[in-house]
């Protein structure tokens, strides 16, 4: 799956380093549910878990590559068996500010359009202005707010959604 100068490739066991790197990035830990401080074994097990979930048709994760095949982060769609799958992503410091997250989200929305899903969701922890900008650029609108536990504290998340039927080429 290609998105402008970026490429999405299904995550594989050899991508364990990006999993481990993301698990130590302060911004990723603050704004996502990515596990904290994974070593190689934990990172490899996380990928195996997602490979099993992919085989079940429940989720799909990708690495985001730039034009030089440098890994910028990961993204994916969860809840694939539901009517409204959920987009998620996490980028490295060198991957941020380049448009990679927006392009990845739009590529994932394209999958949802192609598979007849009427809506796509994106949950953002309140205060994550960068992700709110990504969501807005990709055409999502803020909606319901919920509270959840995140690393031992309660946070408020906003569920952003996109009606794929209004996306150009949507069904």
């Amino acid at each position: 799956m290609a998105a402008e100068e970026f490429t999405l490739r299904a995550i594989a066991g050899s991508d364990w380093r990006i999993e481990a790197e993301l698990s130590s990035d302060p911004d990723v830990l603050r704004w996502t549910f990515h596990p904290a401080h994974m070593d190689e074994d934990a990172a490899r097990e996380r990928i195996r878990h997602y490979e099993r979930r992919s085989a079940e048709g429940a989720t799909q994760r990708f690495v985001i590559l730039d034009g030089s095949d440098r890994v910028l982060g990961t993204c994916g769609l969860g809840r694939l068996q539901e009517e409204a799958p959920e987009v998620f992503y996490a980028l490295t410091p060198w991957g941020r500010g380049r448009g990679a997250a927006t392009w990845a989200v739009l590529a994932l929305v394209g999958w949802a359009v192609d598979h007849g899903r009427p809506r796509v969701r994106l949950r953002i922890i309140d205060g994550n202005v960068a992700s709110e900008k990504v969501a807005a650029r990709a055409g999502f609108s803020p909606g319901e707010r919920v509270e959840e536990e995140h690393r031992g504290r309660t946070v408020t998340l906003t569920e952003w959604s996109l009606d794929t039927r209004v996306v150009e080429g949507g069904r």
Side-chain angles (χ1 to χ4, degrees):
M1 184 181 293
E4 287 294 314
E5 72 269 21
F6 305 109
T7 303
L8 301 183
R9 175 181 51 74
I11 198 163
S14 59
D15 295 312
W16 70 268
R17 284 179 187 80
I18 190 64
E19 286 288 89
E21 279 185 57
L22 290 170
S23 78
S24 296
D25 182 277
D27 286 330
V28 170
L29 296 177
R30 180 175 182 190
W31 299 120
T32 77
F33 290 88
H34 195 96
H37 311 296
M38 290 188 292
D39 62 13
E40 180 178 347
D41 290 339
R44 286 182 183 278
E45 180 52 40
R46 179 172 161 86
I47 291 170
R48 283 191 293 273
H49 167 77
Y50 274 101
E51 288 172 333
R52 287 189 299 273
R53 299 288 292 150
S54 178
E56 296 166 358
T59 192
Q60 181 61 57
R61 284 192 68 216
F62 300 92
V63 290
I64 306 167
L65 304 160
D66 67 12
S68 301
D69 285 338
R70 184 173 188 193
V71 177
L72 304 178
T74 64
C75 67
L77 277 168
R79 303 175 188 251
L80 290 177
Q81 297 162 330
E82 296 179 16
E83 196 169 87
E86 185 176 324
V87 172
F88 55 88
Y89 56 87
L91 274 79
T92 61
W94 59 87
R96 298 179 195 136
R98 301 172 57 176
T102 303
W103 286 113
V105 168
L106 289 169
L108 296 170
V109 166
W111 179 94
V113 168
D114 291 345
H115 288 81
R117 301 300 164 76
R119 191 166 65 94
V120 179
R121 298 175 292 151
L122 173 60
R123 294 169 13 117
I124 300 173
I125 295 173
D126 280 9
N128 187 346
V129 175
S131 279
E132 290 171 352
K133 289 179 180 178
V134 168
R137 281 192 300 267
F140 286 70
S141 299
E144 182 181 345
R145 295 164 55 81
V146 297
E147 288 189 351
E148 280 191 22
E149 279 295 306
H150 179 264
R151 306 196 198 285
R153 64 185 176 93
T154 301
V155 296
T156 302
L157 293 101
T158 299
E159 183 173 290
W160 292 64
S161 65
L162 174 66
D163 182 341
T164 61
R165 296 165 295 196
V166 300
V167 173
E168 186 175 322
R171 295 175 173 80

